[in-house]
């Protein structure tokens, strides 16, 4: 008796689960929905726990309370006043820290001697967290706005500097050698060879720098502030209005996410519209 073997197409019968998973991952609509599965699941669990009375509303307010509080603070202007204060602080602090970080990283990237002088001390100082600098800076500038700007700038300075230095150091030596063969000046080499190749790493540093600045903003406002999103969190906790606390936390997360996405789109636009190196076009 001859035994016949039936070939099973891939993705059917025995491989149904595998084929279904591959079709799901290839579907653009499914890819857009996948990141929302966990947040929606947590929201459903939150709503279920609140409606079933698993946790007291005073400890975990229902989602409806949080939405209503968010709408009320937006309607009476309280939310926008605090958002404006936080955005002003983080943008000014981030711009100061990122600018200094780019200059410092470029300087060390272009000079091995300067890197040998500065990098060990820099690496030692950056190990101190933002709250560790708070008492020292507080004694120098007081509890006003300069305190917040300095600490936010310090938080952004670290990743921007280190990523800028890494971007300069990862350029293959062959590119610089070819630039010298073509008679590039030092300025042309930096602007047309080094910076274009280092741009992806620089943007990574800027995104990390903003993330650190945003987190430091909330920490600073939790400790010393009379306005801002961090202040809203502290104020709500003091009054035991956890719906206000959660509303402020949602706004903090949403703003941070939107700005990070904006930086990501800017990175894609800039890097995608320019060659990987100015020298490459002439070879």
């Amino acid at each position: 008796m001859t035994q016949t073997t039936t070939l099973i197409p891939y993705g059917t019968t025995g491989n149904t689960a595998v084929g279904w998973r591959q079709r799901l991952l290839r579907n653009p609509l499914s890819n857009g929905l996948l990141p929302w599965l966990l947040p929606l699941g947590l929201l459903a669990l939150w709503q279920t726990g609140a409606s079933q009375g698993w946790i007291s509303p005073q400890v975990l307010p229902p989602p409806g309370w949080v939405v209503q509080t968010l709408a009320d603070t937006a309607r009476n202007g309280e939310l926008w006043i605090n958002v404006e204060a936080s955005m002003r602080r983080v943008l000014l602090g981030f711009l100061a820290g990122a600018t200094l970080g780019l200059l410092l990283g470029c300087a060390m990237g272009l000079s091995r001697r300067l890197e040998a002088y500065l990098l060990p001390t820099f690496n030692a100082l950056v190990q101190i967290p933002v709250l560790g600098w708070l008492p020292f800076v507080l004694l120098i500038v007081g509890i006003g706005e300069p305190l917040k700007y300095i600490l936010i700038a310090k938080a952004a300075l670290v990743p921007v500097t280190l990523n800028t230095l890494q971007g300069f150091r990862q350029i293959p030596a062959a590119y610089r050698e070819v630039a010298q063969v073509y008679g590039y000046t030092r300025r042309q080499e930096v602007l047309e060879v080094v910076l274009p190749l280092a741009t992806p790493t620089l943007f990574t540093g800027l995104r990390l720098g903003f993330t650190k600045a945003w987190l430091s903003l909330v920490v600073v406002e939790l400790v010393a502030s009379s306005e801002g999103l961090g202040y809203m969190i502290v104020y709500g906790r003091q009054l035991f209005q956890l719906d206000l606390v959660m509303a402020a936390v949602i706004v903090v997360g949403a703003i941070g996410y939107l700005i990070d996405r904006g930086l990501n789109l800017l990175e894609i636009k800039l890097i995608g519209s320019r060659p990987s190196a100015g020298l490459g076009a002439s070879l």
Side-chain angles (χ1 to χ4, degrees), residues 52-168:
Q52 297 297 323
W54 295 346
I55 303 178
S56 171
Q58 284 71 32
V59 176
L60 183 65
W65 290 16
V66 177
V67 173
Q68 184 61 45
T69 299
L70 193 59
D72 291 341
T73 54
R75 190 179 303 111
N76 60 29
E78 178 184 354
L79 175 63
W80 309 121
I81 293 175
N82 290 289
V83 168
E84 187 273 335
S86 294
M87 291 300 299
R88 181 183 68 251
R89 290 166 181 160
V90 75
L91 290 179
L92 291 177
F94 171 71
L95 287 176
T99 301
L100 182 58
L102 287 172
L103 294 176
L104 184 59
C106 289
M108 290 192 294
L110 295 173
S111 173
R112 293 280 185 179
R113 178 173 295 181
L114 185 62
E115 178 185 356
Y117 286 144
L118 297 181
L119 190 58
T121 304
F122 183 82
N123 284 333
L125 293 177
V126 300
Q127 303 304 319
I128 305 174
V130 172
L131 286 179
W133 290 102
L134 180 61
F136 178 71
V137 180
L138 187 63
L139 290 175
I140 297 176
V141 301
I143 203 172
E145 292 298 302
L147 169 70
K148 303 171 184 60
Y149 295 142
I150 292 173
L151 294 180
I152 293 170
K154 182 267 176 187
L157 170 70
V158 176
V160 174
T161 301
L162 295 179
N163 277 273
T164 302
L165 176 59
Q166 180 185 358
F168 275 68

Side-chain angles (χ1 to χ4, degrees), residues 20-246:
W20 176 84
R21 184 166 58 250
Q22 289 188 344
R23 289 194 300 271
L24 179 63
L25 293 176
R26 286 196 299 263
N27 189 341
L29 180 61
S30 299
N31 288 335
L33 293 176
L34 285 176
W36 293 97
L37 292 180
L38 181 59
L40 291 176
L42 293 175
L43 180 61
L45 182 62
W46 177 12
Q47 178 60 45
T48 302
S51 61
Q52 297 297 323
W54 295 346
I55 303 178
S56 171
Q58 284 71 32
V59 176
L60 183 65
W65 290 16
V66 177
V67 173
Q68 184 61 45
T69 299
L70 193 59
D72 291 341
T73 54
R75 190 179 303 111
N76 60 29
E78 178 184 354
L79 175 63
W80 309 121
I81 293 175
N82 290 289
V83 168
E84 187 273 335
S86 294
M87 291 300 299
R88 181 183 68 251
R89 290 166 181 160
V90 75
L91 290 179
L92 291 177
F94 171 71
L95 287 176
T99 301
L100 182 58
L102 287 172
L103 294 176
L104 184 59
C106 289
M108 290 192 294
L110 295 173
S111 173
R112 293 280 185 179
R113 178 173 295 181
L114 185 62
E115 178 185 356
Y117 286 144
L118 297 181
L119 190 58
T121 304
F122 183 82
N123 284 333
L125 293 177
V126 300
Q127 303 304 319
I128 305 174
V130 172
L131 286 179
W133 290 102
L134 180 61
F136 178 71
V137 180
L138 187 63
L139 290 175
I140 297 176
V141 301
I143 203 172
E145 292 298 302
L147 169 70
K148 303 171 184 60
Y149 295 142
I150 292 173
L151 294 180
I152 293 170
K154 182 267 176 187
L157 170 70
V158 176
V160 174
T161 301
L162 295 179
N163 277 273
T164 302
L165 176 59
Q166 180 185 358
F168 275 68
R169 286 287 175 255
Q170 70 184 8
I171 305 300
Y175 282 86
R176 295 187 175 184
E177 294 173 0
V178 175
Q180 294 172 1
V181 170
Y182 274 80
Y184 278 33
T185 64
R186 180 68 165 173
R187 179 176 177 273
Q188 288 176 316
E189 179 184 337
V190 173
L191 294 179
E192 300 183 26
V193 179
V194 177
L195 282 179
L197 290 172
T199 298
T201 308
L202 297 184
F203 264 95
T204 300
L206 291 175
R207 291 179 64 185
L208 290 175
F210 176 79
T211 300
K212 294 293 185 180
W214 187 248
L215 294 175
S216 300
L217 164 76
V218 177
V219 171
V220 171
E221 288 183 341
L222 286 173
V223 175
S225 183
S226 59
E227 60 179 356
L229 294 171
Y231 169 74
M232 284 183 64
I233 296 175
V234 174
Y235 182 74
R237 179 185 59 82
Q238 291 174 344
L239 298 181
F240 211 69
Q241 295 180 352
L242 296 188
D243 52 336
L244 179 61
V245 173
M246 300 190 72

